[in-house]
Amino acid sequence: FFAAPTAGVARASPSAMTRRRLAVRIYDHLVAYERGLALQESFANARRAGMAPDTLLVLQHSPVYTMGKRPTEHNILTDVETLASLGATVHKARRGGDVTFHGPGQHVVYPVVDLRASELGARAYVEGLEDVMIDAAASFGVRATGRVPEMTGVWARGKKLGAVGVQIS
């Protein structure tokens, strides 16, 4: 564990810059999407019960296409059998948004945090996550922007660099 300012909130809310404990769990193997969901739910339940600190789960998924709450099957341009023959699965997620691919080489960070303790609303939280991605890109010399009108995520040279998808409960 290490103490860190709540990730990305420096621009979102100066009053939220409180120091809190943050556990970081890095998985060095591919994690099936369903297993990743189970991990998130387990950590979220422990967090709600006060048995765990805020936690970042850092992992890579086995090839999977996730679909948000709105019907988006038409945006997967092949059938499930073909995807399965390529080693990919399709999963309906409880988040908003469209179809997203996750796979080897693409690191995914799942924050499991108590937003009430940080005194952040959903919008400030999402913007803070975007700020973290922008800062991370800058550390690699990539100029990125967030909060593009009518678009979510972080953008570099007109292409999407990173997405933010959250479930707040």
Side-chain angles (χ1 to χ4, degrees), residues 3-41:
T6 305
V9 298
R11 294 181 206 135
S13 170
S15 66
M17 285 297 292
T18 58
R19 296 188 81 68
R20 296 171 37 202
R21 292 186 73 72
L22 177 67
V24 179
R25 306 259 180 174
I26 301 173
Y27 295 83
D28 61 357
H29 58 279
L30 294 180
V31 177
Y33 187 76
E34 293 80 7
R35 175 71 180 133
L37 283 177
L39 287 168
Q40 290 175 69
E41 289 172 9

Side-chain angles (χ1 to χ4, degrees), residues 60-82:
Q60 297 176 61
H61 284 300
S62 305
V64 61
Y65 291 86
T66 61
M67 294 185 298
K69 291 179 182 177
R70 286 175 249 117
T72 56
E73 289 91 351
H74 64 278
N75 288 331
I76 296 180
L77 304 179
T78 191
D79 57 76
V80 174
E81 293 77 22
T82 301

Side-chain angles (χ1 to χ4, degrees), residues 37-122:
L37 283 177
L39 287 168
Q40 290 175 69
E41 289 172 9
S42 175
F43 280 98
N45 290 336
R47 182 69 188 106
R48 273 191 290 276
M51 303 300 292
D54 290 344
T55 303
L56 292 180
L57 303 174
V58 182
L59 52 87
Q60 297 176 61
H61 284 300
S62 305
V64 61
Y65 291 86
T66 61
M67 294 185 298
K69 291 179 182 177
R70 286 175 249 117
T72 56
E73 289 91 351
H74 64 278
N75 288 331
I76 296 180
L77 304 179
T78 191
D79 57 76
V80 174
E81 293 77 22
T82 301
L83 293 175
S85 73
L86 298 170
T89 60
V90 176
H91 184 86
K92 291 191 180 196
R94 294 182 303 227
R95 60 163 174 75
D98 203 344
V99 175
T100 302
F101 174 77
H102 300 288
Q106 179 191 50
H107 287 85
V108 181
V109 178
Y110 294 112
V112 179
V113 298
D114 181 355
L115 287 182
R116 285 185 190 96
S118 66
E119 299 177 2
L120 282 176

